[in-house]
């Protein structure tokens, strides 16, 4: 049984009610101690039926401190041989900082595995764009030229959320010009219009400009 919780603002009791609701439990308006016990009994019943429950919690970095503590209590639900609930936390890098705090050290100590997703590489980004276009119903040749993909990877560092925003803007720019493909300059213009990407893109552009100026200066001195 898979439960997806995507609301980071759940309170301490609300997250219990959300899980119970997903498991189709009739809990009425029981308060936390009894609700936690009812949840444990239900999970034991499911375990006896050879069913396992996994709770996927998105945007975990934004959860209140008391809710993180509740997650720790949920991780304690177990039989003599096995955990009754598997919990997976998804979050931005801020989640790591939250987990470093001494107040949540007991939760941190219960984490068995952790993984940091890196940005998409160029070849991965190209496949990602093709996949998104295919899901949208497009079946022709790629709409993003190689130079556009390279630029997109550079200005977004392969972060999917930024890729989606800038690729969308670049597609609109190409459409406005009546072009069949997105060019690198469309991506640059789109990045300049996106605050989070603009900072990194401008820093990279100034770095290239400074390097070009240095090379030109060296060349001029060699000619003297």
């Amino acid at each position: 049984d898979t439960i997806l919780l995507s609301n980071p603002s759940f309170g301490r009791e609300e997250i219990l009610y959300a899980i119970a609701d997903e498991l189709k439990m009739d809990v009425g308006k029981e308060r936390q101690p009894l609700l936690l016990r009812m949840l444990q009994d239900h999970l034991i019943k499911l375990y006896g039926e050879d069913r396992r429950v996994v709770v996927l919690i998105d945007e975990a970095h934004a959860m209140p401190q008391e809710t993180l503590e509740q997650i720790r209590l949920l991780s304690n639900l177990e039989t003599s041989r096995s955990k009754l609930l598997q919990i997976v936390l998804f979050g931005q890098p801020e989640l790591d900082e939250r987990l470093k705090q001494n107040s949540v050290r007991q939760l941190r100590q219960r984490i068995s595995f952790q993984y940091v997703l890196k940005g998409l590489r160029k070849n991965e980004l190209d496949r990602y764009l093709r996949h998104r276009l295919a899901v949208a119903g497009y079946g022709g040749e790629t709409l993003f030229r190689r130079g556009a993909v390279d630029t997109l990877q550079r200005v977004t560092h392969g972060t999917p959320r930024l890729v989606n925003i800038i690729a969308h803007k670049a597609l609109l720019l190409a459409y406005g010009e009546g072009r069949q493909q997105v060019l690198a300059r469309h991506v640059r213009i789109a990045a300049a219009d996106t605050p989070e990407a603009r900072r990194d893109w401008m820093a990279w552009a100034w770095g290239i400009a400074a390097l070009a100026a240095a090379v030109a200066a060296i060349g001029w001195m060699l000619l003297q």
Side-chain angles (χ1 to χ4, degrees):
D1 294 65
T2 303
I3 299 171
L4 172 62
L5 302 179
S6 55
N7 181 3
S9 62
F10 278 130
R12 189 177 186 129
E13 289 188 3
E14 289 174 327
I15 194 168
L16 295 181
Y17 280 111
I19 293 173
D21 183 61
E22 290 289 333
L23 292 174
K24 305 294 189 295
M25 292 175 56
D26 183 13
V27 296
K29 296 183 179 180
E30 299 294 351
R31 306 301 292 174
Q32 180 187 327
L34 186 55
L35 179 56
L36 195 59
R37 177 58 184 271
M38 291 174 67
L39 184 59
Q40 181 176 21
D41 291 343
H42 188 74
L43 290 171
I44 290 174
K45 175 178 175 291
L46 293 177
Y47 185 84
E49 298 171 357
D50 201 27
R51 292 165 63 187
R52 302 293 179 265
V53 179
V54 180
V55 179
L56 309 174
I57 302 176
D58 200 8
E59 304 291 341
H61 61 280
M63 281 196 157
Q65 196 76 6
E66 63 175 16
T67 308
L68 286 175
E69 172 61 16
Q70 187 67 275
I71 291 171
R72 181 188 71 81
L73 294 177
L74 286 169
S75 71
N76 287 336
L77 301 181
E78 57 188 356
T79 66
S80 59
R81 295 181 299 171
S82 177
K83 292 286 185 181
L84 292 172
L85 202 61
Q86 299 295 325
I87 302 172
V88 184
L89 303 178
F90 296 92
Q92 300 296 320
E94 291 83 358
L95 178 59
D96 288 335
E97 299 303 317
R98 294 284 305 277
L99 293 174
K100 288 178 183 177
Q101 297 176 11
N102 193 53
S103 58
V104 293
R105 68 185 184 281
Q106 292 183 334
L107 174 60
R108 181 176 66 245
Q109 291 166 357
R110 284 165 170 75
I111 297 175
S112 300
F113 303 99
Q114 63 184 47
Y115 185 77
V116 178
L117 287 172
K118 304 297 184 183
L120 297 170
R121 296 188 294 269
K122 289 179 183 178
N123 62 326
E124 295 171 329
L125 180 54
D126 183 54
R127 293 200 301 271
Y128 175 74
L129 292 169
R130 291 172 185 268
H131 170 72
R132 289 296 298 262
L133 288 167
V135 170
Y138 178 74
E141 293 295 322
T142 179
L143 295 181
F144 289 81
R145 286 193 177 179
R146 183 178 298 276
V149 175
D150 291 347
T151 304
L152 187 58
Q153 200 281 333
R154 189 159 51 239
V155 301
T156 64
H157 304 293
T159 303
R161 189 173 299 175
L162 268 180
V163 168
N164 295 342
I165 293 171
I166 295 176
H168 178 71
K169 292 180 179 179
L171 281 166
L172 288 174
L173 287 166
Y175 173 77
E177 294 179 1
R179 290 186 173 275
Q180 299 298 313
Q181 285 188 310
V182 174
L183 307 179
R185 65 179 176 82
H186 295 137
V187 175
R188 289 194 293 270
I189 295 171
D193 185 60
T194 306
E196 190 172 347
R198 183 171 61 233
R199 181 177 60 254
D200 292 341
W201 168 246
M202 292 304 294
W204 180 86
W206 278 110
I208 292 296
L211 177 62
V215 170
I218 292 172
W220 182 83
M221 287 187 291
L222 290 174
L223 291 173
Q224 299 303 308

